[in-house]
Amino acid sequence: MSKSFKSNRVLQGLVVWLIVLWIITAINPLYPSDWLLENLLVFIWGGILIFSYRWFKFSNRSYALFTMFLSLHLVGAHYTYAETPFGFWLQTLFDFERNHYDRIVHFSFGLLIAYPMREFLMRRSGVSGAWSYFFTINGILAFSAFYEVLEVIAAMIVSPELGNAYLGTQGDEWDAQKDTFLAFMGSIVAMLVTWSLARKNPGKS
């Protein structure tokens, strides 16, 4: 955990991967204005991780999970969540009524970000045991709900066409609630897996 960036080959590889993927997905996005709006998340989150690195270093496992989530987001930003090819493939395969790529990403937010959030809480706030799982799940739920509110505000500010592409509701008036619930469920799955691994390997949770 205490390795500097210069000596952390794993972290260097993850950064290179994200830069390369960002460049690829920045080429001819389906809706350039929406792509820029979607990438605000990447810029903000990437900036936080970079500037906070000196006083708080996550484990390589957490950085890998961050990278997986941001990778899913970058692909979704290139096509928009509602028009991602993988989502259309799933729609055809399982005869879904809509493209569910956005559902996958929101579930992945809870699944992939819960572990790093718990790591942060344990090391900076001193929580442990059952409370570390409880606060992590609640934190994911709160962040997910807050992000849905930000999305609505952004949609109200931009043009109606861009707002619809950005929100990706696909006509579902309960889209925000479902997305938040999926993130919540993802965090529960992540914490169940973390708890199971912690029981098998005490001290390495």
Side-chain angles (χ1 to χ4, degrees):
M1 288 186 185
S2 59
K3 280 186 178 181
S4 66
F5 180 76
K6 291 183 179 180
S7 61
N8 193 332
R9 300 303 182 191
V10 173
L11 184 54
Q12 291 173 11
L14 294 174
V15 171
V16 170
W17 162 259
L18 281 177
I19 291 174
V20 171
L21 182 60
W22 184 85
I23 292 173
I24 293 173
T25 56
I27 300 173
N28 296 322
L30 195 59
Y31 299 104
S33 297
D34 177 68
W35 174 86
L36 182 61
L37 189 59
E38 293 277 10
N39 271 271
L40 287 177
L41 172 65
V42 178
F43 299 146
I44 293 173
W45 188 239
I48 291 174
L49 289 177
I50 291 171
F51 289 112
S52 65
Y53 187 76
R54 287 188 176 183
W55 62 271
F56 188 89
K57 295 178 179 65
F58 285 95
S59 64
N60 283 341
R61 181 183 297 177
S62 287
Y63 283 121
L65 293 171
F66 283 136
T67 300
M68 291 172 64
F69 177 73
L70 289 175
S71 297
L72 291 172
H73 177 76
L74 287 173
V75 172
H78 177 81
Y79 295 101
T80 77
Y81 279 51
E83 300 184 46
T84 303
F86 180 69
F88 284 131
W89 178 76
L90 289 177
Q91 184 178 3
T92 301
L93 182 64
F94 296 104
D95 196 27
F96 291 142
E97 295 183 357
R98 53 163 281 166
N99 187 318
H100 280 297
Y101 185 79
D102 66 322
R103 303 280 195 238
I104 294 172
V105 176
H106 282 282
F107 179 81
S108 297
F109 175 75
L111 184 67
L112 300 175
I113 305 301
Y115 182 90
M117 181 177 289
R118 178 173 178 266
E119 181 178 305
F120 180 83
L121 288 172
M122 291 181 69
R123 289 169 54 191
R124 300 301 296 185
S125 301
V127 296
S128 61
W131 286 111
S132 67
Y133 301 103
F134 176 79
F135 284 125
T136 297
I137 292 172
N138 277 272
I140 290 294
L141 182 60
F143 270 100
S144 181
F146 178 65
Y147 182 72
E148 293 296 329
V149 173
L150 289 181
E151 279 191 325
V152 173
I153 294 174
M156 293 171 62
I157 295 174
V158 300
S159 65
E161 294 80 10
L162 180 56
N164 289 331
Y166 178 59
L167 288 174
T169 59
Q170 301 182 62
D172 186 354
E173 62 180 356
W174 298 102
D175 183 73
Q177 289 85 347
K178 291 176 181 178
D179 289 346
T180 301
F181 177 74
L182 283 170
F184 175 63
M185 294 304 297
S187 68
I188 291 177
V189 172
M191 290 299 93
L192 285 174
V193 172
T194 303
W195 173 76
S196 177
L197 293 175
R199 289 189 63 191
K200 294 178 180 179
N201 301 286
K204 295 184 179 182
S205 58

